[in-house]
Amino acid sequence: MYEGAVQDLIDELGRLPGVGPKSAQRIAFHLLAADETDVRRLAHVLVQVKEKVKFCEICGNVSEETQCRICRDPRRDLALICVVEEAKDVVAIERTREFRGRYHVLGGAISPIEGIGPDELRIRELMQRLASGEVTEIILATDPNLEGEATATYLSRLLRPMGLRVTRLASGLPVGGDLEYADEVTLGRAFEGRRSIDD
Amino acid sequence: MPLYRDEAIVLRTQKLGEADRIATLLTRSHGKIRAVAKGVRRTSSRFGARLEPFSHVDLQLATGRTLDVVTQAVSIAAYGEGIVSDYARYTTGTVLLETVDRLVVEEKEPATQQHLLLAGALRVLSTGEREPRLILDSFLLRSLAISGYAPSFGDCARCGEPGPHRAFNPAAGGMVCASCRPPASTMPAPATITLLAALLTGDWPTAERTDPRTRREADTLVAAFVAWHLDRLRSLRHLDLTPAPVVPLPGTESLG
């Protein structure tokens, strides 16, 4: 045990995900030895992130304004909505530069065992966005695991009767992987979704 | 680290650290175990989708100090595909998994019968050949019976007087005779009791001849019985047995 402020810092750091007691101690002593301006800057951004960051009123993405950068952008295609689980997924898809529509962040996936049902997600907000009639296609980009698939199944059951085009991200072999290590489900999906090579 | 091999059904998974997962497994001969699957969340993982809930896998595990480690996995059957493609089946399936997780309390105590019952139920559920509601009720009754909470649908659950009797009481353990009957017992229709008895013994021809009203009443009684023994199942609150729309109707406006 250290005295006062040092121990407080170690305790606080230790509560972060992936930081154990030893790492917390190492970071604390690094900060103690660091330049005061660097530490002030870190403290400043920590406070700022809580003060400034809000959730976009349209898509639920993290944002500093009431609407996020993507929802404000007039060049974005209003007819397309890509539904994702977390704000992290928006960033991942943006990095591909393939998608020019807008997003909808659900805030998780349906998992009854953990007590998360459709009502705990931002599904009602998605329905409200569709009411204007501008949207023609919904791309379901939830994680390709069980909860993500179940969420996609639930949403398609809800959306298909509305006459929208509902699509799901393809699943298959990872680029740079080995065929022999692919599991049966993934390899099976890759076969199902194979395409003609001259497309 | 000594290695062992067993068949297992994945009951649930939880994230661990950067890319690992802890899987709760119901094995055929080692009972319930919790094992770490390293790197499964990476796209390059060699386990990939094999260790998702509902998967039936052949595993090689290494005994660890607190948690075992999955070293190899081969699929026996991927029930998840068929289950997750239908929302009613999915919510039913999660109730099955949570029930087993709650009933099999001790880790590494063999629970072969529960394993076999679960594998059978998931197989039928994934093919869609029987109504999810019936699979669920039958599974709950039989799973409770294996754990020693078999309800009685014939003789009186209290004094053993031969039935049939009229009153049902979950706390008493099933049907009760007129003299044993506690207050607040329900009086279900005789057809419902026939259905429940059929579900407990796995008599599918009898069970499938029943009408929807009888099935709904059976549901209520099974839910009351399960609630008495297992307290509250979280997944039961999210059970949604609405059948999927058979044909999508383009252009029709409805907000579910």
Side-chain angles (χ1 to χ4, degrees):
Chain A
M1 286 293 270
Y2 297 91
E3 276 179 34
V6 180
Q7 188 60 42
D8 290 347
L9 179 60
I10 294 175
D11 291 346
E12 287 303 318
L13 290 169
R15 287 164 55 188
L16 298 174
V19 180
K22 283 284 177 199
S23 319
Q25 187 179 317
R26 194 161 45 82
I27 299 168
F29 276 93
H30 171 82
L31 291 173
L32 206 57
D35 204 36
E36 197 184 325
T37 48
D38 289 342
V39 178
R40 283 202 183 280
R41 199 170 54 242
L42 176 65
H44 180 67
V45 294
L46 282 177
V47 176
Q48 290 258 301
V49 81
K50 280 316 270 184
E51 280 176 357
K52 278 198 175 170
V53 176
K54 297 188 273 272
F55 293 96
C56 170
E57 60 177 10
I58 298 175
C59 69
N61 194 2
V62 286
S63 166
E64 287 196 6
E65 319 276 327
T66 48
Q67 292 181 4
C68 74
R69 188 174 47 79
I70 297 169
C71 290
R72 282 198 316 261
D73 189 343
R75 290 166 299 172
R76 289 274 175 169
D77 190 349
L78 291 175
L80 287 176
I81 290 185
C82 177
V83 180
V84 295
E85 290 181 17
E86 309 280 352
K88 288 179 281 188
D89 303 328
V90 173
V91 178
I93 295 174
E94 280 298 284
R95 273 204 303 262
T96 67
R97 298 167 188 268
E98 289 273 338
F99 180 65
R100 296 302 303 160
R102 298 204 288 183
Y103 293 91
H104 191 84
V105 181
L106 290 175
I110 296 174
S111 175
I113 292 188
E114 274 139 49
I116 302 169
D119 296 343
E120 275 76 27
L121 303 176
R122 297 183 67 253
I123 291 175
R124 205 174 303 113
E125 288 86 341
L126 176 64
M127 291 302 163
Q128 282 161 5
R129 286 180 74 178
L130 300 179
S132 67
E134 274 174 328
V135 180
T136 54
E137 180 176 347
I138 303 274
I139 301 165
L140 300 174
T142 49
D143 287 345
N145 55 26
L146 196 89
E147 287 83 19
E149 292 290 346
T151 311
T153 305
Y154 178 83
L155 287 174
S156 75
R157 192 181 78 172
L158 212 61
L159 299 170
R160 271 165 56 198
M162 296 170 72
L164 292 164
R165 180 156 184 249
V166 182
T167 54
R168 175 90 176 105
L169 284 196
S171 36
L173 299 169
V175 178
D178 256 24
L179 199 74
E180 69 161 323
Y181 283 117
D183 65 276
E184 296 76 4
V185 181
T186 309
L187 196 53
R189 291 266 196 95
F191 260 96
E192 248 176 60
R194 71 185 186 280
R195 63 201 168 98
S196 173
I197 206 134
D198 34 67
D199 277 358
Chain B
M1 291 210 289
L3 296 171
Y4 63 97
R5 197 175 151 185
D6 206 344
E7 269 180 40
I9 296 168
V10 183
L11 299 182
R12 60 189 299 178
T13 58
Q14 65 195 87
K15 290 179 184 177
L16 176 72
E18 184 89 346
D20 306 342
R21 256 196 200 129
I22 298 177
T24 306
L25 309 156
L26 185 71
T27 61
R28 196 183 166 107
S29 27
H30 295 80
K32 185 164 94 171
I33 50 175
R34 285 176 12 107
V36 179
K38 294 208 167 134
V40 268
R41 281 154 59 204
R42 286 189 228 280
T43 46
S44 59
S45 163
R46 63 191 198 289
F47 299 133
R50 293 188 190 104
L51 290 174
E52 288 281 291
F54 300 119
S55 302
H56 191 184
V57 278
D58 188 351
L59 293 180
Q60 188 183 55
L61 297 129
T63 317
R65 250 175 300 173
T66 47
L67 295 171
D68 294 353
V69 178
V70 180
T71 54
Q72 283 176 33
V74 176
S75 293
I76 295 171
Y79 301 124
E81 278 278 281
I83 291 173
V84 86
S85 62
D86 180 286
Y87 194 66
R89 286 186 214 161
Y90 172 69
T91 52
T92 306
T94 54
V95 180
L96 303 190
L97 297 185
E98 193 185 357
T99 308
V100 176
D101 195 13
R102 294 274 291 274
L103 280 175
V104 181
V105 181
E106 283 298 312
E107 290 183 20
K108 303 213 166 173
E109 287 282 323
T112 311
Q113 272 188 293
Q114 291 284 13
H115 172 91
L116 295 174
L117 181 69
L118 181 63
L122 293 180
R123 188 184 57 73
V124 180
L125 187 64
S126 69
T127 58
E129 61 192 80
R130 297 195 202 289
E131 199 194 342
R133 183 194 298 269
L134 290 180
I135 299 173
L136 176 66
D137 287 344
S138 175
F139 178 85
L140 291 173
L141 292 174
R142 289 158 83 176
S143 183
L144 282 166
I146 292 170
S147 296
Y149 305 117
S152 168
F153 295 120
D155 303 345
C156 171
R158 279 253 170 101
C159 66
E161 189 181 297
H165 300 294
R166 291 289 320 280
F168 178 86
N169 190 294
M175 301 305 289
V176 275
C177 69
S179 50
C180 291
R181 199 178 103 191
S185 302
T186 44
M187 303 284 264
T192 308
I193 300 307
T194 314
L195 171 61
L196 288 172
L199 290 173
L200 179 62
T201 52
D203 177 1
W204 287 103
T206 308
E208 291 191 325
R209 273 199 301 272
T210 50
D211 57 83
R213 224 185 69 204
T214 310
R215 290 180 190 185
R216 272 199 301 277
E217 190 176 33
D219 259 5
T220 323
L221 298 187
V222 172
F225 194 72
V226 169
W228 174 257
H229 287 291
L230 283 179
D231 237 359
R232 200 169 57 91
L233 287 173
R234 282 210 274 190
S235 49
L236 207 53
R237 195 167 63 87
H238 297 288
L239 188 65
D240 180 348
L241 293 172
T242 325
V246 185
V247 191
L249 305 166
T252 49
E253 290 285 319
S254 82
L255 277 169

